[in-house]
Amino acid sequence: MHPALPRATSGSPPDSVLSRRRVLVHGSRGMLALVTLAALLPACSSDQAAGPEPLEPELAAARSDAALAAAAADAAPALAPALRVIADERNRHAAALVEELARAAGKPTPAADSPGATASATASATAAPSPNPPPGVREVADALRRSADSAAKLVPTLSGYRAGLLGSIAAACTAAHTVGLAPAGQSR
């Protein structure tokens, strides 16, 4: 070292000195790490959400129950008004589930006249002649009971709107098979 050059006055090595430059360099590195981490976290959580959609089986059950109730209404004239109400209600459940699935997927809700819509799916299911005898009121009540149980078991695993939607569906199915089809339950 040249004798004319001044030495550090603090007596500490230059690495331990905290200068403005070091604060800015280390701070910017820390901010860069935080920004990178924030950008990667949503990618990690989206992999977990890519599992099976829990509302899909409920949608299939709603469509099936609606078709079953509509077919049973033709075979049981005494309970036809109640069965038609149940079919309409289950169609509305299916429509609400379709809307929620579309919202969660970030897709537009299918129009009522589109091939994936509830109304056309139910109409095609009820319009096709079946070689089997039409379902009875007991089959409809059993299907509604299964749908209510399935939705009620799913509610605690969900949160927010989805939990409320499934809770509502479970309550409606329970009311339909215990109150709406009460004569069927008494004749069993």
Side-chain angles (χ1 to χ4, degrees), residues 144-176:
L144 289 169
R145 187 176 297 108
R146 283 190 303 273
S147 294
D149 291 345
S150 172
K153 287 178 186 172
L154 193 56
V155 169
T157 67
L158 302 173
S159 63
Y161 175 76
R162 285 179 159 215
L165 176 62
L166 266 280
S168 230
I169 289 172
C173 289
T174 300

Side-chain angles (χ1 to χ4, degrees), residues 126-150:
T126 58
S130 174
N132 299 329
V137 176
R138 184 177 185 142
E139 287 87 5
V140 175
D142 290 343
L144 289 169
R145 187 176 297 108
R146 283 190 303 273
S147 294
D149 291 345
S150 172

Side-chain angles (χ1 to χ4, degrees), residues 8-181:
T9 57
S10 66
S12 61
D15 287 341
S16 66
V17 175
L18 189 61
S19 67
R20 253 186 266 151
R21 180 178 292 172
R22 286 181 191 239
V23 168
L24 290 174
V25 167
H26 291 299
S28 64
R29 286 181 185 162
M31 290 301 288
L32 180 63
L34 284 176
V35 168
T36 303
L37 183 62
L40 293 177
L41 280 178
C44 294
S45 65
S46 67
D47 288 342
Q48 294 172 354
E53 176 58 57
L55 298 184
E56 286 290 339
E58 301 305 318
L59 173 60
R63 288 178 171 161
S64 173
D65 292 352
L68 196 65
D74 295 336
L79 288 174
L83 289 166
R84 285 190 190 100
V85 167
I86 290 169
D88 290 343
E89 187 173 67
R90 292 302 278 151
N91 278 328
R92 286 192 302 274
H93 292 162
L97 289 165
V98 165
E99 288 175 13
E100 174 56 20
L101 288 168
R103 184 206 59 82
K107 298 177 182 175
T109 304
D113 58 351
S114 71
T118 304
S120 62
T122 302
S124 66
T126 58
S130 174
N132 299 329
V137 176
R138 184 177 185 142
E139 287 87 5
V140 175
D142 290 343
L144 289 169
R145 187 176 297 108
R146 283 190 303 273
S147 294
D149 291 345
S150 172
K153 287 178 186 172
L154 193 56
V155 169
T157 67
L158 302 173
S159 63
Y161 175 76
R162 285 179 159 215
L165 176 62
L166 266 280
S168 230
I169 289 172
C173 289
T174 300
H177 79 75
T178 57
V179 177
L181 299 178

Side-chain angles (χ1 to χ4, degrees), residues 1-9:
M1 184 170 198
H2 193 277
L5 292 175
R7 299 186 120 211
T9 57

